Amino acid sequence: MTHLKEGDKAPVFKGKDQSGKELTLSDLKGKKVILYFYPKDMTPGCTAQACNLRDNYDALLKKGYAVVGVSVDGEKSHQKFAEKYDLPFPLLADDNKEIVTQYGVFGEKQMMGKTYDGVYRTTFLINENGVIDKIIKKPDTKNHTEQILSL
């Protein structure tokens, strides 16, 4: 699991979103950032989480948050996911696993008796100064916005 702690400076990430546009943490300076890592586009839990953030996007913007999703899927997969579910926020393609490694959210997982490497569903709330205020290690996919706003 992540080696980062609340109060740590957030690692500066850089990636391309579903439109091929480059985005870095520095681009979001002065904003609160919801940086959420999810395992895979188009899967039930990841879709529920993305749609919950989409449905509450205006409320998050009013609270000063920028939303950024990250998975190890490529740009084309993110593009299909964002278009199918009308997602208004960037999804960074981390197919080289740089960002998930920086944030310590990639490693060995188990499902149905099989062991494999994958992304740990984790959300980092980063403040305007680039410091991690909160790490949500078990996001509630269907109620993620409520979980964030209750902190």
Side-chain angles (χ1 to χ4, degrees), residues 7 10 17 20 23 27 33 39 42 66 82 90 94 97 116 119 135 139:
D17 71 9
L23 180 71
D27 295 334
V33 178
M42 305 288 189
D94 191 24
K97 299 176 183 67
Y116 63 98
V119 175
I135 301 172

Side-chain angles (χ1 to χ4, degrees), residues 17-18 21 23 28 36 57 67-70 87-92:
D17 71 9
Q18 66 269 33
K21 184 178 171 207
L23 180 71
L28 302 169
Y36 83 98
Y57 191 60
V67 178
V68 179
V70 181
L87 303 177
F89 44 81
L91 300 174
L92 298 185

Side-chain angles (χ1 to χ4, degrees), residues 36 58 66 78-79 95 128 138 142:
Y36 83 98
D58 287 340
H78 282 346
Q79 192 172 32
D95 38 3
E128 300 89 340
K138 299 253 187 242
K142 291 186 173 103

Side-chain angles (χ1 to χ4, degrees), residues 1-147:
M1 234 7 215
T2 183
H3 58 281
L4 296 169
K5 303 179 302 309
E6 293 169 4
D8 285 352
K9 194 90 170 137
V12 177
F13 61 80
K14 179 168 92 173
K16 287 193 176 178
D17 71 9
Q18 66 269 33
S19 306
K21 184 178 171 207
E22 195 169 274
L23 180 71
T24 69
L25 182 59
S26 307
D27 295 334
L28 302 169
K29 193 173 175 92
K31 292 184 180 181
K32 295 186 288 187
V33 178
I34 297 167
L35 182 64
Y36 83 98
F37 292 90
Y38 65 98
K40 189 148 185 57
D41 292 337
M42 305 288 189
T43 57
C46 297
T47 300
Q49 184 177 21
C51 290
N52 176 266
L53 292 167
R54 175 204 65 203
D55 294 347
N56 296 285
Y57 191 60
D58 287 340
L60 294 168
L61 290 177
K62 283 182 183 140
K63 294 283 186 181
Y65 284 110
V67 178
V68 179
V70 181
S71 87
V72 296
D73 293 312
E75 282 177 49
K76 283 191 184 343
S77 177
H78 282 346
Q79 192 172 32
K80 287 178 190 166
F81 188 42
E83 284 174 7
K84 181 171 182 173
Y85 294 101
D86 198 25
L87 303 177
F89 44 81
L91 300 174
L92 298 185
D94 191 24
D95 38 3
N96 60 11
K97 299 176 183 67
E98 281 182 27
I99 304 170
V100 293
T101 301
Q102 280 180 295
Y103 278 80
V105 296
F106 188 83
E108 197 173 273
K109 297 173 75 172
Q110 281 194 329
M111 186 162 78
M112 295 191 286
K114 294 189 184 217
T115 302
Y116 63 98
D117 285 338
V119 175
Y120 305 125
R121 186 184 310 278
T122 311
T123 298
F124 293 83
L125 303 183
I126 303 168
N127 70 24
E128 300 89 340
N129 300 313
V131 174
I132 299 167
D133 277 346
K134 192 78 183 154
I135 301 172
I136 303 171
K137 294 183 181 174
K138 299 253 187 242
D140 177 347
T141 57
K142 291 186 173 103
N143 300 296
H144 198 37
T145 302
E146 296 81 353
Q147 195 177 22

